[in-house]
């Protein structure tokens, strides 16, 4: 190893460069905006290792160049919770994508504040769709329990209570 030439991170040896004084060539399998080089490739570009920067994960693109790339992590939509966070990953042969995994909250539920579990809609709110959030009932509608899929309309001459859990008779002169 004393006679070997070493290339810096992000480069690999060409034509037995380590023994015969050849040159180092830049690794091209990573986008420097989304990844960081971990080491130099030893004998060819396939040995160039890089790590995805925070907020990105590794995938193997099947485009014309078939490059390994780091792509932005997905975020879960409003009615979804995060089952597994996207993981910043080291690029290795046959790497497994580690993007964010989301799951939809059910009818009558919405994500909690940490977005790691679904919770029932509170009284006065309803959600009729999977993967949606709870909406406040209008002033003439109510829900009698948590996890309601829909608001119930009050009778003519009634309004919902401020909490939205029942209907009350309108004051005289109002409807």
């Amino acid at each position: 190893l004393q006679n070997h030439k070493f290339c810096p991170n992000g480069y690999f040896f060409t034509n037995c460069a380590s023994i015969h004084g050849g040159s180092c060539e830049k690794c091209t399998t990573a986008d420097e905006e989304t990844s960081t080089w971990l080491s130099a490739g030893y004998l060819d570009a396939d040995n160039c290792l890089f790590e995805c920067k925070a907020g990105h994960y590794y995938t193997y693109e099947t485009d014309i160049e078939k490059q390994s790339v780091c792509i932005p992590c997905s975020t879960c939509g409003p009615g979804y919770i995060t089952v597994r966070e996207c993981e910043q990953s080291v690029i290795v042969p046959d790497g497994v994508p580690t993007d964010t995994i989301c799951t939809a909250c059910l009818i009558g539920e919405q994500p909690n504040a940490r977005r790691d579990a679904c919770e029932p809609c509170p009284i006065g709110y309803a959600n009729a769709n999977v993967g949606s959030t709870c909406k406040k009932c209008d002033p003439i509608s109510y829900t009698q329990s948590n996890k309601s899929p829909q608001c119930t309309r009050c009778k003519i001459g009634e309004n919902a209570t401020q909490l939205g859990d029942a209907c009350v008779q309108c004051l005289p002169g109002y409807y």
Side-chain angles (χ1 to χ4, degrees):
L1 289 174
Q2 286 177 273
N3 299 331
H4 287 253
K5 176 182 175 184
F6 292 97
C7 293
N9 286 356
Y11 290 80
F12 67 95
F13 299 120
T14 59
N15 302 323
C16 300
S18 63
I19 300 170
H20 303 294
S23 62
C24 293
E25 205 169 296
K26 188 170 177 60
C27 296
T28 59
T29 58
D31 177 356
E32 292 179 8
E33 288 183 30
T34 61
S35 58
T36 304
W37 291 108
L38 294 178
S39 67
Y42 181 61
L43 295 176
D44 59 38
D46 289 340
N47 294 317
C48 292
L49 293 179
F50 60 95
E51 175 180 66
C52 296
K53 290 184 179 177
H56 295 80
Y57 76 100
Y58 165 75
T59 188
Y60 184 74
E61 291 291 315
T62 56
D63 61 5
I64 296 170
E65 296 177 23
K66 295 191 176 177
Q67 292 186 332
S68 299
V69 296
C70 296
I71 61 173
C73 296
S74 300
T75 55
C76 298
Y80 290 76
I81 59 169
T82 303
V83 176
R84 188 185 76 196
E85 291 287 345
C86 180
E87 297 173 10
Q88 180 180 358
S89 57
V90 175
I91 304 311
V92 293
D94 301 320
V96 177
T98 55
D99 194 9
T100 306
I101 296 176
C102 307
T103 192
C105 291
L106 302 175
I107 291 172
E109 296 179 341
Q110 68 180 0
N112 65 8
R114 290 188 315 265
R115 299 182 61 85
D116 61 358
C118 295
E119 63 185 15
C121 295
I123 291 177
Y125 289 77
N127 175 10
N129 300 306
V130 171
S132 190
T133 56
C134 302
K135 308 281 188 274
K136 185 167 177 52
C137 297
D138 65 43
I140 58 170
S141 298
Y142 69 100
T143 61
Q144 289 184 321
S145 64
N146 296 14
K147 203 172 178 175
S148 182
Q150 62 188 20
C151 299
T152 303
R153 199 95 159 142
C154 295
K155 295 177 187 170
I156 295 175
E158 294 180 336
N159 281 329
T161 61
Q162 191 166 359
L163 182 58
D165 63 342
C167 293
V168 293
Q169 194 68 37
C170 295
L171 296 171
Y174 292 88
Y175 63 94

